[in-house]
Amino acid sequence: MDRMKRADSQASQNTRTDPLARLSLEQLRKRTSMKWRAHPEDVLPLWVAEMDVPLAAPVAEALHTAIDAGDTGYPYGTAYAEALGEFARERWRWDGLRIEHTAIVPDVMLGIVEVLRLITDPGDAVVVCSPVYPPFYAFVSHDARDVVEARLGPDLRIDLDALEEAFVRARSHGRRAAFLMSNPHNPTGVVHTREELEAVARLAREHGVRVVSDEIHAPVVLPGAAFTPFLSVPGSENAFALTSASKAWNLAGLKAAVAIAGAEAADDLRRMPEEVGHGPSHLGIIAHTTAFRDGGDWLDELLLGLDANRSLLGQLVEEHLPEVRYHPPQATYLAWLDCTGLGLHGDRQADGPGVVSEMAGPAKMFLDEARVALSSGHVFGSGGAGCVRLNFATSPDILREALTRMGSAVRRRGGPSGQ
C-alpha cells in the first residue's frame, strides 16, 4: 500500500469510535500472536492480556515511516521518557517524573527483575499482595528471591495489617526486602487510592522495605476512578516505578519500557548495567513514544469501549452465571470472577503460583466444556483457587458468545445454574 492509500485507510479508521468493535472474529483468527494461536480455532480466547483491537493510527503511521526510511537501528535518546512525562502531567496531574531519573528497559517485568537486583540479593524477600499477576512469582523466584505473600482483604483491596505482617516476615533474619506492588492491581482491577498508597509508603519506610510499583496498567483506568502514581505520594522517594504503553495500546510485541526512580533511588538506578538498555527495540521505543505522545484520542475511545464491556459483562454474568461473584474492575480490561459458587473448587489444582501453562478448576472446565479460554486463578497465588481471570478487551459479540457458552456448560454439568 502506498503512502496515500495508507493515509486514506487510517483516516477511515479514525471516523469510527470503539476500537473493540472494529475487528471480526474471522479477522482476529488470522493473527499469529499467543492469544489467538495457543488454542484450537473452536476456542474463544479471553485469557492473556492482548486486546482485540487494530493498532492506533498514530502508532501505525510512526512505524511505517520508520520502516520506509530504513530507521531500524539501535535506540537512542530520551524521547520515550519525555513523552511519558508529558502524558503523566496531562492525565495524572503528576509533574514529578525527572528524565535523569529514568532508564529504558526491555519490558516491565524484565525491568522489575533488574531493579530488584539493585536493591536485594539472592535469599532476600519480595512481598506481593496475592492474588496477583503470576510472573511476580515466577520471575522473582527464578532470580533466587523468596516470595512472601500478603493476602488482599475480602474487598480485594490491600490489607494493611496483612502487609505489615508480611513486611516483618520479609525482614526477618536481617534480610533486605522489597514490596512488588501492582498499581492498578492485576487481576482484580482495583485502583489504589492516594490514602492507601500513602499508608503503604509509611509502612515501607517504617520497616525498611523498598517499593517497586508495576504501573503497566496505569493508562487503563476506567471511568469512576483516578490513578495515583506511587512516586507522587510522600515517603516514596526511595521507591521505583515501571511502566510502558504495552497494555493500553496493545504493544506487547514491541518491547520497550521505562524504569523511574524516586529522588533517593536515583543513585541505585544509575548502577543498572548498561547492557540492560540494549534490550529494548528501536521500533518498540518509537511505538511506545508515539502512543504516549499522540495516542490519547485513541485511548479515550478504547476506555469508553472497555467501560461499556465492563457493564455488559456484569449483565452477562448475572444472566448466565448468577452464582459467580463479579467485582467490576476500576482499571485494566481484566475481570476477576469468583467461581467457587459453581461447586468446582474441589477440582484438582495444577502445580502452583506462576505456573501459567497449567489450568485447573473452573478454567479447565470452561476450556474443555465451553471452549472458552480463561486464566486459571490458582496461578495468581493464595486466594486464587476457584477463580478465573477473564479478558474483556474484545468485541461485545465475542463477549456475549463466550458467556453464553460458559453458562451452557454449567447447566450441562447440572451445577447450580442448571438447577
Side-chain angles (χ1 to χ4, degrees):
M1 181 186 296
D2 63 25
R3 178 76 59 193
M4 185 174 296
K5 289 181 179 178
R6 190 158 64 228
D8 288 344
S9 173
Q10 289 164 353
S12 175
Q13 285 187 6
N14 286 337
T15 63
R16 308 174 195 173
T17 53
D18 183 2
L20 296 165
R22 285 163 53 182
L23 297 176
S24 67
L25 182 58
E26 181 182 8
Q27 289 173 304
L28 291 167
R29 290 210 183 278
K30 294 178 181 177
R31 292 188 166 182
T32 60
S33 62
M34 180 184 292
K35 181 179 182 181
W36 288 95
R37 290 302 172 98
H39 297 283
E41 284 202 358
D42 64 328
V43 171
L44 292 178
L46 302 182
W47 62 296
V48 72
E50 295 181 26
M51 294 192 291
D52 296 340
V53 294
L55 195 59
V59 176
E61 182 64 22
L63 291 171
H64 283 301
T65 298
I67 291 170
D68 290 348
D71 185 11
T72 55
Y74 296 108
Y76 178 78
T78 58
Y80 189 175
E82 292 167 12
L84 174 60
E86 293 169 6
F87 184 89
R89 282 190 291 272
E90 179 182 341
R91 295 275 172 155
W92 306 325
R93 302 295 184 263
W94 180 50
D95 63 357
L97 190 151
R98 300 290 175 260
I99 304 304
E100 64 273 20
H101 294 172
T102 66
I104 301 298
V105 293
D107 61 31
V108 166
M109 274 311 306
L110 290 178
I112 285 170
V113 169
E114 294 295 340
V115 167
L116 289 174
R117 288 174 177 171
L118 299 175
I119 57 176
T120 63
D121 293 315
D124 286 338
V126 177
V127 176
V128 302
C129 286
S130 62
V132 72
Y133 183 49
F136 279 19
Y137 294 93
F139 281 63
V140 169
S141 59
H142 291 167
D143 206 42
R145 273 68 173 170
D146 294 332
V147 177
V148 176
E149 291 185 321
R151 283 279 298 270
L152 298 175
D155 58 356
L156 302 181
R157 307 195 74 89
I158 292 176
D159 181 330
L160 293 173
D161 290 335
L163 186 64
E164 183 169 25
E165 192 273 335
F167 284 176
V168 171
R169 283 189 286 131
R171 290 284 284 146
S172 64
H173 309 297
R175 295 186 298 182
R176 293 198 293 178
F179 172 36
L180 179 51
M181 178 171 59
S182 183
N183 178 35
H185 195 86
N186 174 6
T188 63
V190 164
V191 175
H192 308 307
T193 66
R194 176 169 291 276
E195 291 74 21
E196 287 171 327
L197 295 176
E198 289 175 350
V200 167
R202 285 195 300 271
L203 284 178
R205 287 281 187 174
E206 179 180 343
H207 292 279
V209 174
R210 302 289 292 276
V211 178
V212 180
S213 185
D214 175 352
E215 301 185 351
I216 196 170
H217 286 281
V220 197
V221 172
L222 304 178
F227 173 71
T228 301
F230 183 70
L231 294 180
S232 71
V233 305
S236 68
E237 294 81 7
N238 68 344
F240 299 85
L242 294 100
T243 194
S244 77
S246 174
K247 299 306 180 191
W249 285 272
N250 208 43
L251 302 177
L254 292 163
K255 294 289 190 180
V258 179
I260 313 165
E264 296 173 17
D267 286 343
D268 289 319
L269 189 61
R270 292 188 190 102
R271 293 189 289 106
M272 183 176 286
E274 179 189 354
E275 59 267 23
V276 174
H278 297 174
S281 156
H282 180 44
L283 291 177
I285 289 176
I286 289 172
H288 289 247
T289 300
T290 304
F292 279 122
R293 188 184 61 219
D294 302 323
D297 290 343
W298 186 91
L299 177 62
D300 289 338
E301 293 173 353
L302 172 71
L303 293 176
L304 291 175
L306 291 175
D307 186 29
N309 273 10
R310 173 175 60 172
S311 298
L312 174 61
L313 179 59
Q315 298 166 17
L316 294 170
V317 168
E318 183 177 359
E319 177 182 357
H320 297 287
L321 298 167
E323 292 77 21
V324 169
R325 284 183 289 175
Y326 166 57
H327 298 270
Q330 298 174 301
T332 80
Y333 41 82
L334 306 166
W336 189 240
L337 305 179
D338 182 344
C339 300
T340 53
L342 298 178
L344 301 172
H345 51 283
D347 288 5
R348 180 189 69 84
Q349 293 297 320
D351 298 333
V355 186
V356 296
S357 61
E358 297 289 340
M359 281 196 180
K364 188 174 190 306
M365 187 279 286
F366 286 130
L367 178 61
D368 292 345
E369 302 181 27
R371 308 309 284 160
V372 175
L374 308 170
S375 296
S376 184
H378 79 284
V379 300
F380 293 82
S382 298
C387 299
V388 297
R389 192 190 73 174
L390 182 150
N391 176 352
F392 60 89
T394 189
S395 73
D397 289 343
I398 290 175
L399 202 57
R400 291 188 187 94
E401 173 64 17
L403 270 292
T404 299
R405 290 186 187 188
M406 291 163 67
S408 296
V410 171
R411 288 192 295 274
R412 287 195 299 270
R413 269 198 161 221
S417 295
Q419 295 176 358

